[in-house]
Tab-separated table of all heavy atoms in Angstrom:
chain	number	residue	atom	x	y	z
A	1	ALA	N	39.806	-63.084	-6.004
A	1	ALA	CA	40.011	-61.660	-5.743
A	1	ALA	C	41.457	-61.272	-5.989
A	1	ALA	O	41.771	-60.204	-6.598
A	1	ALA	CB	39.594	-61.312	-4.341
A	2	ALA	N	42.369	-62.133	-5.512
A	2	ALA	CA	43.795	-61.853	-5.673
A	2	ALA	C	44.175	-61.871	-7.164
A	2	ALA	O	44.940	-60.997	-7.660
A	2	ALA	CB	44.629	-62.874	-4.923
A	3	ALA	N	43.618	-62.855	-7.892
A	3	ALA	CA	43.906	-62.929	-9.309
A	3	ALA	C	43.373	-61.709	-10.055
A	3	ALA	O	44.013	-61.181	-10.979
A	3	ALA	CB	43.287	-64.206	-9.902
A	4	THR	N	42.189	-61.272	-9.618
A	4	THR	CA	41.595	-60.071	-10.229
A	4	THR	C	42.464	-58.854	-10.004
A	4	THR	O	42.693	-58.062	-10.919
A	4	THR	CB	40.183	-59.836	-9.665
A	4	THR	OG1	39.369	-60.977	-9.920
A	4	THR	CG2	39.558	-58.602	-10.299
A	5	VAL	N	42.950	-58.717	-8.780
A	5	VAL	CA	43.808	-57.578	-8.458
A	5	VAL	C	45.093	-57.635	-9.273
A	5	VAL	O	45.532	-56.620	-9.836
A	5	VAL	CB	44.125	-57.540	-6.934
A	5	VAL	CG1	45.210	-56.511	-6.639
A	5	VAL	CG2	42.877	-57.267	-6.130
A	6	LEU	N	45.689	-58.842	-9.315
A	6	LEU	CA	46.929	-58.990	-10.095
A	6	LEU	C	46.689	-58.695	-11.582
A	6	LEU	O	47.530	-58.068	-12.251
A	6	LEU	CB	47.490	-60.400	-9.913
A	6	LEU	CG	48.060	-60.720	-8.542
A	6	LEU	CD1	48.448	-62.197	-8.444
A	6	LEU	CD2	49.301	-59.849	-8.254
A	7	ALA	N	45.543	-59.183	-12.079
A	7	ALA	CA	45.203	-58.936	-13.491
A	7	ALA	C	45.052	-57.447	-13.742
A	7	ALA	O	45.507	-56.918	-14.765
A	7	ALA	CB	43.940	-59.688	-13.866
A	8	PHE	N	44.402	-56.765	-12.790
A	8	PHE	CA	44.208	-55.313	-12.931
A	8	PHE	C	45.545	-54.584	-12.902
A	8	PHE	O	45.788	-53.664	-13.717
A	8	PHE	CB	43.323	-54.789	-11.803
A	8	PHE	CG	43.148	-53.282	-11.836
A	8	PHE	CD1	42.309	-52.693	-12.746
A	8	PHE	CD2	43.892	-52.479	-10.973
A	8	PHE	CE1	42.196	-51.306	-12.770
A	8	PHE	CE2	43.777	-51.114	-11.007
A	8	PHE	CZ	42.911	-50.507	-11.919
A	9	ILE	N	46.424	-55.022	-11.982
A	9	ILE	CA	47.751	-54.389	-11.910
A	9	ILE	C	48.536	-54.620	-13.199
A	9	ILE	O	49.156	-53.694	-13.733
A	9	ILE	CB	48.530	-54.975	-10.710
A	9	ILE	CG1	47.857	-54.521	-9.380
A	9	ILE	CG2	49.979	-54.504	-10.729
A	9	ILE	CD1	48.438	-55.153	-8.130
A	10	ALA	N	48.453	-55.867	-13.713
A	10	ALA	CA	49.149	-56.172	-14.956
A	10	ALA	C	48.589	-55.356	-16.125
A	10	ALA	O	49.342	-54.807	-16.940
A	10	ALA	CB	49.062	-57.668	-15.253
A	11	TRP	N	47.271	-55.288	-16.184
A	11	TRP	CA	46.637	-54.526	-17.267
A	11	TRP	C	47.016	-53.048	-17.178
A	11	TRP	O	47.321	-52.399	-18.172
A	11	TRP	CB	45.110	-54.673	-17.169
A	11	TRP	CG	44.382	-53.795	-18.153
A	11	TRP	CD1	44.086	-54.052	-19.448
A	11	TRP	CD2	43.896	-52.480	-17.879
A	11	TRP	NE1	43.443	-53.003	-20.018
A	11	TRP	CE2	43.305	-51.998	-19.098
A	11	TRP	CE3	43.877	-51.647	-16.745
A	11	TRP	CZ2	42.719	-50.732	-19.178
A	11	TRP	CZ3	43.306	-50.396	-16.845
A	11	TRP	CH2	42.724	-49.962	-18.062
A	12	ASN	N	47.004	-52.526	-15.959
A	12	ASN	CA	47.339	-51.118	-15.744
A	12	ASN	C	48.805	-50.862	-16.132
A	12	ASN	O	49.119	-49.797	-16.696
A	12	ASN	CB	47.102	-50.754	-14.289
A	12	ASN	CG	47.330	-49.259	-14.033
A	12	ASN	OD1	46.635	-48.427	-14.557
A	12	ASN	ND2	48.327	-48.930	-13.220
A	13	PHE	N	49.649	-51.828	-15.840
A	13	PHE	CA	51.075	-51.698	-16.166
A	13	PHE	C	51.256	-51.635	-17.687
A	13	PHE	O	51.982	-50.785	-18.213
A	13	PHE	CB	51.871	-52.855	-15.576
A	13	PHE	CG	53.362	-52.676	-15.672
A	13	PHE	CD1	54.047	-51.913	-14.749
A	13	PHE	CD2	54.075	-53.302	-16.687
A	13	PHE	CE1	55.429	-51.760	-14.851
A	13	PHE	CE2	55.456	-53.135	-16.787
A	13	PHE	CZ	56.131	-52.365	-15.864
A	14	VAL	N	50.600	-52.582	-18.359
A	14	VAL	CA	50.692	-52.615	-19.837
A	14	VAL	C	50.026	-51.387	-20.454
A	14	VAL	O	50.576	-50.737	-21.356
A	14	VAL	CB	50.061	-53.903	-20.384
A	14	VAL	CG1	50.011	-53.879	-21.924
A	14	VAL	CG2	50.825	-55.119	-19.892
A	15	ASP	N	48.829	-51.050	-19.958
A	15	ASP	CA	48.112	-49.927	-20.499
A	15	ASP	C	48.878	-48.625	-20.289
A	15	ASP	O	48.805	-47.702	-21.108
A	15	ASP	CB	46.728	-49.812	-19.822
A	15	ASP	CG	45.888	-48.685	-20.424
A	15	ASP	OD1	45.533	-48.792	-21.629
A	15	ASP	OD2	45.602	-47.714	-19.712
A	16	GLY	N	49.613	-48.525	-19.194
A	16	GLY	CA	50.415	-47.314	-18.918
A	16	GLY	C	51.507	-47.104	-19.945
A	16	GLY	O	52.068	-46.002	-20.023
A	17	TRP	N	51.838	-48.113	-20.709
A	17	TRP	CA	52.866	-47.989	-21.752
A	17	TRP	C	52.258	-47.495	-23.074
A	17	TRP	O	52.893	-46.794	-23.814
A	17	TRP	CB	53.550	-49.318	-21.951
A	17	TRP	CG	54.739	-49.252	-22.871
A	17	TRP	CD1	54.888	-49.861	-24.081
A	17	TRP	CD2	55.962	-48.539	-22.662
A	17	TRP	NE1	56.092	-49.578	-24.637
A	17	TRP	CE2	56.786	-48.763	-23.783
A	17	TRP	CE3	56.429	-47.714	-21.626
A	17	TRP	CZ2	58.064	-48.211	-23.898
A	17	TRP	CZ3	57.685	-47.166	-21.735
A	17	TRP	CH2	58.496	-47.410	-22.866
A	18	SER	N	51.013	-47.908	-23.337
A	18	SER	CA	50.418	-47.585	-24.642
A	18	SER	C	49.287	-46.551	-24.562
A	18	SER	O	48.867	-46.038	-25.587
A	18	SER	CB	49.847	-48.872	-25.265
A	18	SER	OG	48.893	-49.464	-24.402
A	19	ALA	N	48.835	-46.211	-23.362
A	19	ALA	CA	47.748	-45.237	-23.231
A	19	ALA	C	48.235	-43.829	-23.551
A	19	ALA	O	49.426	-43.512	-23.459
A	19	ALA	CB	47.178	-45.279	-21.817
A	20	SER	N	47.297	-42.965	-23.928
A	20	SER	CA	47.640	-41.576	-24.240
A	20	SER	C	48.280	-40.880	-23.051
A	20	SER	O	47.876	-41.086	-21.890
A	20	SER	CB	46.381	-40.801	-24.633
A	20	SER	OG	45.849	-41.320	-25.850
A	21	GLY	N	49.276	-40.052	-23.338
A	21	GLY	CA	49.992	-39.306	-22.284
A	21	GLY	C	49.348	-37.983	-21.992
A	21	GLY	O	48.307	-37.614	-22.540
A	22	PRO	N	49.980	-37.188	-21.147
A	22	PRO	CA	49.391	-35.937	-20.670
A	22	PRO	C	49.476	-34.730	-21.579
A	22	PRO	O	48.814	-33.727	-21.360
A	22	PRO	CB	50.197	-35.653	-19.380
A	22	PRO	CG	51.524	-36.279	-19.645
A	22	PRO	CD	51.234	-37.506	-20.449
A	23	LEU	N	50.280	-34.819	-22.663
A	23	LEU	CA	50.418	-33.645	-23.536
A	23	LEU	C	49.097	-33.326	-24.254
A	23	LEU	O	48.535	-34.189	-24.914
A	23	LEU	CB	51.505	-33.890	-24.581
A	23	LEU	CG	52.971	-33.622	-24.171
A	23	LEU	CD1	53.888	-33.802	-25.380
A	23	LEU	CD2	53.119	-32.208	-23.614
A	24	ASP	N	48.642	-32.097	-24.156
A	24	ASP	CA	47.412	-31.696	-24.834
A	24	ASP	C	47.676	-30.961	-26.146
A	24	ASP	O	46.770	-30.590	-26.848
A	24	ASP	CB	46.528	-30.836	-23.916
A	24	ASP	CG	47.245	-29.585	-23.438
A	24	ASP	OD1	48.396	-29.319	-23.883
A	24	ASP	OD2	46.676	-28.840	-22.626
A	25	HIS	N	48.971	-30.754	-26.467
A	25	HIS	CA	49.319	-30.151	-27.754
A	25	HIS	C	50.729	-30.574	-28.126
A	25	HIS	O	51.558	-30.934	-27.263
A	25	HIS	CB	49.253	-28.618	-27.700
A	25	HIS	CG	50.212	-28.022	-26.709
A	25	HIS	ND1	49.927	-27.942	-25.375
A	25	HIS	CD2	51.448	-27.496	-26.880
A	25	HIS	CE1	50.955	-27.387	-24.746
A	25	HIS	NE2	51.909	-27.107	-25.640
A	26	GLU	N	50.994	-30.587	-29.404
A	26	GLU	CA	52.342	-30.981	-29.859
A	26	GLU	C	53.396	-30.003	-29.341
A	26	GLU	O	53.156	-28.796	-29.268
A	26	GLU	CB	52.341	-30.967	-31.403
A	26	GLU	CG	53.665	-31.453	-32.026
A	26	GLU	CD	53.580	-31.479	-33.541
A	26	GLU	OE1	53.621	-30.382	-34.135
A	26	GLU	OE2	53.450	-32.571	-34.114
A	27	ARG	N	54.566	-30.539	-28.986
A	27	ARG	CA	55.649	-29.684	-28.522
A	27	ARG	C	56.991	-30.351	-28.753
A	27	ARG	O	57.073	-31.536	-29.062
A	27	ARG	CB	55.472	-29.342	-27.035
A	27	ARG	CG	55.559	-30.531	-26.096
A	27	ARG	CD	55.725	-30.108	-24.665
A	27	ARG	NE	57.003	-29.417	-24.493
A	27	ARG	CZ	57.402	-28.922	-23.322
A	27	ARG	NH1	56.618	-29.025	-22.253
A	27	ARG	NH2	58.559	-28.336	-23.202
A	28	THR	N	58.040	-29.576	-28.629
A	28	THR	CA	59.378	-30.127	-28.792
A	28	THR	C	60.047	-30.266	-27.430
A	28	THR	O	59.760	-29.505	-26.502
A	28	THR	CB	60.242	-29.211	-29.683
A	28	THR	OG1	60.368	-27.946	-29.090
A	28	THR	CG2	59.651	-29.100	-31.062
A	29	ILE	N	60.914	-31.240	-27.330
A	29	ILE	CA	61.722	-31.416	-26.133
A	29	ILE	C	63.179	-31.554	-26.566
A	29	ILE	O	63.479	-31.964	-27.708
A	29	ILE	CB	61.321	-32.680	-25.321
A	29	ILE	CG1	61.491	-33.954	-26.153
A	29	ILE	CG2	59.908	-32.539	-24.813
A	29	ILE	CD1	61.338	-35.222	-25.350
A	30	ILE	N	64.080	-31.179	-25.719
A	30	ILE	CA	65.510	-31.254	-26.005
A	30	ILE	C	66.159	-32.261	-25.063
A	30	ILE	O	66.046	-32.161	-23.851
A	30	ILE	CB	66.181	-29.892	-25.848
A	30	ILE	CG1	65.580	-28.876	-26.820
A	30	ILE	CG2	67.676	-29.997	-26.070
A	30	ILE	CD1	66.058	-27.468	-26.620
A	31	ILE	N	66.801	-33.264	-25.650
A	31	ILE	CA	67.567	-34.230	-24.877
A	31	ILE	C	69.044	-33.866	-25.057
A	31	ILE	O	69.590	-33.911	-26.176
A	31	ILE	CB	67.320	-35.662	-25.396
A	31	ILE	CG1	65.814	-35.995	-25.326
A	31	ILE	CG2	68.125	-36.658	-24.559
A	31	ILE	CD1	65.205	-35.914	-23.955
């Protein structure tokens, strides 16, 4: 169970880097 939880956390961490973000349309940002 612990390994499963850790695996899920790790997957979620990695997926959070490559998964689609919240923007629903193209836009510009200024840095």
Side-chain angles (χ1 to χ4, degrees):
T4 301
V5 171
L6 289 174
F8 175 78
I9 292 173
W11 174 85
N12 186 63
F13 189 82
V14 173
D15 183 64
W17 187 244
S18 58
S20 294
L23 276 184
D24 58 4
H25 62 278
E26 184 177 74
R27 63 166 297 180
T28 60
I29 61 170
I30 299 173
I31 303 300

